[in-house]
């Protein structure tokens, strides 16, 4: 797609999509700038999802237990409280979560073991901005700092008051500012 669009691209990824964009840049995709929003790697092994998350998600979806897969993702992988998952099931958007449950294993595959891939980061030589939210999960900032330390041309910034579900009217200008530099 990048070749069809002119041969180079600015690449943006959010959450596990940031992991995917990161891997594409590390693999040599023709990216000239990279922006990552809260890649969910974690320095703390105790904060990472279960090692068999992909297998559990695939099994639940194959068994038709899409709601269980969505709940597992929320409570065991993201580590949201069980009360939040119970609340989520009562919301009008819950059926949409069940409908995309099969994609949760894709996210987990991209992220590997969720450890911070510093050796891979050293191969990302394009200018990179890693953004985190000031009101988001605490592990995102040290993750960003570890990636920046491992990358030859990276920096990070915190968007005050933003959570993982970032406000696009805040995120957009931050991305635009980095890309125009």
């Amino acid at each position: 797609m990048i070749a069809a669009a002119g041969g180079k691209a600015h690449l943006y990824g959010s959450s596990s999509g940031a992991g995917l964009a990161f891997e594409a840049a590390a693999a040599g995709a023709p990216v000239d700038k990279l922006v990552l929003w809260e890649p969910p790697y974690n320095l703390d092994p105790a904060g990472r999802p279960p090692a068999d998350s992909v297998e559990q998600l695939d099994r639940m979806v194959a068994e038709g237990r899409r709601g269980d897969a969505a709940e597992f993702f929320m409570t065991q992988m993201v580590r949201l409280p069980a009360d939040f998952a119970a609340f989520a099931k009562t919301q009008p958007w819950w059926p949409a979560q069940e409908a995309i449950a099969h994609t949760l294993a894709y996210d987990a595959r991209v992220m590997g073991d969720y450890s911070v891939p510093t050796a891979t980061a050293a191969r990302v030589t394009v200018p990179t901005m890693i953004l985190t939210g000031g009101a988001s999960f605490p592990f995102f900032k040290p993750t960003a700092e570890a990636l920046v330390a491992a990358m030859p041309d990276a920096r990070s910034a915190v968007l005050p008051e933003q959570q993982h579900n970032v406000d696009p009217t805040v995120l957009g200008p931050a991305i635009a500012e980095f890309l125009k530099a």
Side-chain angles (χ1 to χ4, degrees):
M1 182 177 283
I2 293 172
K8 289 265 185 198
H10 299 330
L11 190 56
Y12 165 76
S14 174
S15 194
S16 62
L20 184 60
F22 168 81
E23 291 291 338
V31 174
D32 54 8
K33 286 194 176 181
L34 181 63
V35 180
L36 307 176
W37 171 256
E38 294 193 337
Y41 303 112
N42 197 324
L43 290 168
D44 179 4
R48 297 179 195 147
D52 66 343
S53 292
V54 170
E55 293 81 8
Q56 288 196 57
L57 290 165
D58 280 342
R59 185 181 67 253
M60 285 181 244
V61 170
E63 292 171 353
R65 298 171 38 225
R66 299 174 80 80
D68 291 345
E71 181 178 1
F72 174 83
F73 177 78
M74 287 181 179
T75 61
Q76 301 302 307
M77 296 181 71
V78 179
R79 304 200 182 210
L80 294 171
D83 289 349
F84 177 81
F87 165 77
K89 291 177 185 181
T90 69
Q91 298 306 297
W93 47 264
W94 183 253
Q97 296 301 302
E98 290 181 340
I100 63 168
H102 63 283
T103 69
L104 298 171
Y106 306 160
D107 293 349
R109 281 183 182 90
V110 166
M111 297 306 301
D113 68 0
Y114 287 81
S115 63
V116 180
T118 54
T120 303
R123 296 195 314 264
V124 178
T125 60
V126 299
T128 301
M129 172 62 78
I130 305 171
L131 298 165
T132 60
S136 197
F137 297 107
F139 73 91
F140 285 126
K141 190 170 188 278
T143 293
E145 291 167 352
L147 287 169
V148 166
M151 298 170 81
D153 189 5
R155 59 188 148 206
S156 65
V158 176
L159 302 182
E161 301 177 18
Q162 294 304 300
Q163 297 180 0
H164 193 59
N165 290 326
V166 62
D167 180 343
T169 65
V170 176
L171 179 62
I175 293 172
E177 182 67 27
F178 173 69
L179 295 179
K180 76 177 183 182

